[in-house]
């Protein structure tokens, strides 16, 4: 072709890009090229680009034909641009771009791989890296991320991060290119975090995004705020640090205020804002915030609908937010709204989106048909809903590929539907089906908590079908996975969120082992499945030692455990543990506790684990005896169902005894509480004491010690106060000195450093705090203790601030806090000791647990309900008392319920009189349990008919 014709074609092609020329005539001329002449390369390249451009304006088979023609022309161009050719980079970039657009039409990784190869060649063809056009790197990193998402190739996402880094570093400050690379780099780092289950890439992403916000101006700043909010959201998902959500909400708010109503990304930014507000509402259990999130989601959906965009994902988000809102408020119309919205999503969805929408609707129906969701769990409307949920879940399971990351969760829901149907009648067939579904869910790739829940339910189905051995095997498999629920990078709140999935598993596993005549195994399983947060404290000590001995093995251990937690299968885990245990001093690294190692903690007295299971109740007595370390005491009438009545009576009695009702009502409440103590004696403590040979009052003899280790729901009961308190010594208090412990290993003596100096006592008293009722007894209590502890540091009133208390705690062996205690059923980690500035700086369970305490001997908590928590976290002792024990105190005095101000001051004064011999010695903290016991007995003897005054105080620890 002559030079003049080439020139005319190129000019026509340029006008075609501007939309001023008929594309058919230009393309017709370009296709006359034979590519026999290397000079035709420029025109061929233009032709290929024209096909790529026109494909974006067409649809269906026409678009596919144009893309195929473009790819063919680009391949012809490649032959005319050998290595070293000046246009080789442009040729491969064009080919990569054509394949990039084709990638959107297929879910196959193959086209993305071809595109990646082309962009790599484009980058490699540029002589000097400093002169690489920015789109080359940008689209290479972008397609690497797409290829990773479709193939799971970890090397691809690692390369994407590297290329995005290079482009970000090469771009001019505050340029549009730098902003694009920043967004891409943040996205690539998020993908890398997802791929490796590590949070380090997310921390880097947040750092880059924060830097960008500080640099950017105008709309670039709004985009930077959007990128930061996304990074913060992802980091919160990895760490569960609520502070990140607070910042993300602020960034979204600023971004939306700076985004015009016609901005092309308005709906995307609105959706992110709704998402982070919803997450914050769930973290705080705040219904008002959740309503705000729902309204913003609805606004986003309407905008998507007006723009003819797919709003299916937003509808699903609305449904999930409404279900969460219902769980907070119990408002039935909210659940009805959720169901209606879910049905709308199903009607509007197609393809894979329909499967997700069906799953969403099934979840709503399953939730609504259960007691927790407001259903009546009987024949009627909820039974119809359950049948529909089952049908939907069966369709969803059939449509979900076996390697799908959400298959395990979807199968678990199907198993729950089958189980619930079986519970409505003679459901042997449904239980068998549920068993098979749970077994498959447990073996599916996916998050560890789904596998744990599936194995838990598998064990329950095996037990219901009569196969005790299979049930125990399933429970053991579930327990073996528990250490992977709490990886290193999770915050305290994150770990707490994960261990909520364990509720009921310890009791079920122990009952199964006892039923098979294996009490020692029952004790081991209880120890493995309870106190996971405390166990992590012990594990952290081992990890510090490993890092000191072998940094290489420590790094390998951290990486491999992260991979396993992310759902990967790796047979090298046990091999790695074997190498670690081969190091001197680490022979027991992460080994599960054996009864032989646990019995050493029962040297000062027996540890009694009280378990109310679904089918049976037992007490497991652990002694230091090497021949018979565990004794089983069957407890008739102590199943979980049997316990529900007395537990309700206990809760009702405590409310009536403290809410200012009539004298008659308060007297009846005390009689109800006394009835609970009698029931506890008859059903639990009397058989245990008989088995221990503790059969009468100790009189003038030194009282025997006993440690109660209640499992699950039994932790709400005052086992130490059980008995008939109308005389005759038929009570626990008249026969033994009681203490409590969450796990056996929590009784281990901790080695203390020697910080120097003489540790004293800290007394904190808050008689008045804004927004809280007065505690006049706190001042009198502090004054009495100041006389008994003359060297004590007293922080009272306005001095008792967060900063002063937290600074003083590490310098004292004894900490006495007289103030209000506030607990939150749905958010136990937010439980608070009410200090003077609690409204601005609350001292929470989470914060207490993290304080470094070099002395930590005795924490006396003269406050209400410091040992109260949600049932899902009761085995973790996630409450104020447990926080002080987790922080390192060997002895903690706490309360099970709201206590009387005046009598609490009396108990404290009497306890310290005994600890200090009337103020003549430093407090003997090793006698804390005895001193509290004697103080409680003295008060009981004065007010035997008012157990709410004295039965709620407990000693925890040694």
């Amino acid at each position: 072709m002559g030079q003049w014709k080439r020139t005319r074609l190129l000019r026509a092609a340029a006008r075609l890009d501007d939309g001023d020329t008929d594309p058919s005539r230009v393309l017709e001329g370009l296709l006359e090229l034979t590519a026999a002449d290397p000079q035709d390369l420029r025109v061929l390249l233009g032709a290929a680009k024209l096909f790529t451009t026109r494909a974006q304006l067409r649809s269906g088979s026409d678009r596919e034909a144009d893309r195929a023609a473009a790819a063919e022309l680009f391949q012809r161009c490649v032959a005319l641009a050998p290595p070293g050719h000046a246009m080789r980079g442009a040729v491969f970039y064009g080919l990569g771009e054509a394949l990039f657009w084709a990638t959107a039409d297929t879910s196959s990784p193959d086209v993305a791989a071809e595109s990646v190869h082309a962009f790599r060649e484009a980058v490699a063809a540029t002589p000097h890296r400093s002169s690489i056009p920015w789109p080359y790197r940008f689209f290479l990193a972008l397609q690497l991320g797409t290829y990773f998402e479709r193939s799971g190739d970890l090397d691809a996402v690692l390369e994407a991060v590297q290329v995005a880094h290079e482009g970000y570093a090469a771009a001019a400050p505050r340029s549009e290119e730098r902003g694009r690379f920043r967004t891409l780099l943040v996205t690539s780092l998020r993908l890398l975090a997802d791929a490796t289950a590590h949070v380090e890439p997310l921390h880097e992403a947040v750092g880059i995004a924060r830097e960008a916000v500080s640099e950017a101006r105008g709309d670039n700043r709004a985009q930077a705020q959007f990128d930061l909010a996304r990074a913060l959201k992802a980091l919160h998902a990895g760490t569960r640090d609520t502070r990140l959500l607070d910042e993300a909400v602020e960034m979204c708010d600023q971004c939306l205020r700076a985004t015009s109503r016609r901005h092309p990304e308005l709906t995307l930014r609105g959706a992110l804002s709704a998402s982070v507000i919803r997450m914050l509402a769930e973290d705080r259990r705040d219904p008002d915030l959740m309503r705000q999130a729902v309204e913003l989601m609805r606004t986003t959906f309407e905008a998507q609908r007006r723009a003819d965009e797919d709003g299916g994902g937003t509808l699903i988000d609305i449904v999930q937010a409404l279900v969460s809102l219902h769980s907070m408020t119990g408002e039935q119309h909210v659940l009805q709204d959720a169901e209606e919205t879910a049905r709308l999503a199903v009607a509007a969805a197609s393809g894979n989106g329909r499967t997700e929408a069906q799953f969403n609707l099934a979840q709503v129906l399953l939730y609504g048909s259960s007691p927790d969701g407001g259903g009546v769990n009987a024949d009627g409307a909820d039974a119809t809903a359950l049948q529909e949920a089952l049908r939907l879940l069966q369709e969803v399971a059939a449509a979900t590929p076996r390697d799908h990351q959400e298959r395990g969760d979807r199968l678990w829901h199907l198993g729950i539907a089958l189980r619930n149907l079986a519970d409505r009648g003679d459901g042997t067939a449904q239980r068998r089906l549920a068993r098979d579904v749970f077994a498959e869910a447990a073996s599916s790739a996916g998050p560890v908590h789904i596998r744990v829940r599936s194995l838990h339910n598998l064990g329950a189905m095996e037990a219901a079908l009569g196969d005790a051995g299979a049930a125990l095997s399933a429970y053991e498999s579930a327990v073996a996975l528990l250490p992977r629920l709490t990886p290193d990078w999770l915050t305290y709140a994150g770990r707490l969120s994960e261990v909520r999935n364990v509720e009921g598993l310890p009791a079920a596993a122990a009952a199964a082992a006892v039923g098979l005549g294996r009490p020692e195994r029952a004790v081991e399983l209880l120890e493995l499945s309870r106190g996971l947060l405390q166990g992590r404290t012990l594990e952290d000590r081992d990890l510090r030692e490993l890092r000191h001995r072998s940094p290489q093995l420590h790094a390998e251990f951290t990486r491999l455990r992260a991979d396993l937690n992310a759902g990967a299968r790796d047979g090298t885990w046990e091999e790695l543990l074997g190498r670690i245990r081969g190091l001197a001093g680490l022979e027991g690294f992460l080994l599960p506790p054996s009864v032989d190692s646990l019995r050493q903690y029962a040297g000062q007295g027996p540890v009694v684990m009280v378990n109310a299971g679904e089918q049976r109740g037992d007490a497991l007595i652990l002694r230091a005896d090497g021949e018979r370390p565990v004794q089983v005491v069957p407890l008739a009438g102590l199943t979980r169902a049997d316990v529900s009545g007395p537990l309700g009576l206990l809760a009702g009695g405590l409310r009536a005894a403290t809410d200012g009702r009539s004298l008659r009502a308060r007297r009846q409440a005390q009689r109800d509480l006394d009835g609970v103590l009698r029931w506890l004696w008859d059903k639990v403590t009397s058989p245990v004491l008989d088995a221990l040979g503790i059969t009468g009052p100790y009189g003038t003899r030194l009282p025997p010690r006993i440690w109660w280790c209640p499992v699950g729901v039994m932790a709400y009961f005052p086992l130490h106060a059980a008995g008939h308190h109308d005389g005759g010594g038929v009570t626990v208090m008249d026969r033994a000195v009681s203490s409590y412990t969450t796990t056996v290993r929590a009784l281990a003596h901790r080695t203390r450093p020697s910080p120097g100096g003489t540790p004293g006592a800290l007394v904190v008293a808050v008689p008045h705090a804004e927004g809280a009722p007065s505690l006049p007894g706190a001042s009198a209590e502090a004054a009495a203790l100041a006389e008994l502890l003359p060297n004590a540091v007293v922080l009272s009133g306005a001095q008792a601030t967060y900063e002063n208390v937290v600074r003083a705690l590490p310098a004292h062996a004894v900490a006495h806090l007289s103030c209000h205690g506030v607990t939150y059923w749905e958010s136990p980690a937010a439980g608070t000791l009410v200090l003077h500035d609690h409204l601005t700086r609350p001292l929470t369970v989470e914060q207490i647990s993290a304080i470094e305490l070099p002395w930590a001997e005795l924490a006396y908590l003269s406050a209400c309900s410091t040992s109260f928590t949600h049932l899902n976290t009761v085995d973790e002792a996630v409450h104020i008392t447990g926080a002080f024990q987790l922080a390192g105190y060997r002895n903690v005095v706490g309360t099970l319920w709201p206590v009387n101000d005046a009598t609490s001051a009396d108990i404290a004064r009497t306890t310290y009189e005994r600890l200090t011999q009337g103020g003549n010695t430093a407090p003997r903290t090793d006698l804390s349990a005895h001193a509290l016991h004697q103080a409680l007995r003295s008060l009981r003897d004065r007010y035997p008919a008012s157990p709410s005054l004295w039965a709620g105080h407990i000693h925890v620890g040694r």
Side-chain angles (χ1 to χ4, degrees), residues 475-556:
Y475 291 139
E476 287 180 319
S477 296
V479 171
L481 289 174
L482 295 183
R484 302 180 194 172
L485 281 177
T486 55
D488 298 334
W489 58 85
L490 276 183
T491 62
Y492 178 88
R495 292 174 180 178
L496 174 58
S497 177
E498 291 297 322
V499 300
R500 281 176 177 264
N501 295 289
V502 180
E503 194 272 320
L505 176 60
V514 171
L516 287 171
R518 300 179 60 189
E520 289 81 8
R521 184 56 178 159
V523 169
E524 292 170 349
L525 288 171
L526 285 174
E527 197 67 13
L528 281 167
S529 57
R530 302 166 72 248
L532 298 178
L533 298 181
Q534 290 177 329
R536 280 312 307 264
T537 300
L538 299 174
E539 183 178 318
D540 290 343
R541 180 191 62 194
D542 285 348
L543 286 174
R544 286 194 296 271
E545 182 65 19
L546 174 61
R547 185 169 58 242
H548 173 71
R549 297 290 186 89
S550 175
Q552 181 179 355
L553 283 178
H554 179 270
E556 187 176 349

Side-chain angles (χ1 to χ4, degrees), residues 616-619 632-636 683 687:
R616 61 180 295 153
D618 300 284
V632 178
V633 180
L635 300 175
K683 295 295 183 181

Side-chain angles (χ1 to χ4, degrees), residues 233 271 274-275 277-279 281-283 285-287 289-291 293-295 297-298 311-329 334-343 345 353 355-365 367 406 409-410 413:
K233 176 187 173 185
S275 176
I277 291 173
R278 171 190 162 193
M279 293 171 70
E282 288 176 341
D283 268 28
R285 303 297 297 174
D286 186 332
L289 263 182
M290 189 60 74
R291 290 188 182 94
V294 170
E295 287 308 308
M297 289 175 190
R298 292 192 194 281
T314 303
L315 284 176
I316 290 174
D317 288 343
I318 293 172
V319 173
Q320 293 173 347
L322 287 169
V323 170
S324 184
L325 178 60
H326 174 268
S327 73
M328 298 176 193
T329 65
V334 173
L335 192 59
Q336 293 168 356
D337 191 1
E339 182 179 335
E340 292 170 3
T341 307
R343 293 189 185 282
T355 299
E356 186 177 359
Q358 286 178 310
F359 180 54
N360 190 48
L361 174 58
Q363 287 177 296
V364 175
L365 294 169
Y367 173 72
E406 294 186 15
D409 187 32
R410 294 174 177 181
H413 280 85

Side-chain angles (χ1 to χ4, degrees), residues 209-226:
R210 283 193 178 123
E211 177 185 344
V213 169
S214 67
E215 293 179 354
R217 299 292 181 271
D219 188 61
N220 286 339
R221 181 174 176 81
Q223 180 62 42
Q225 289 165 337
F226 177 75

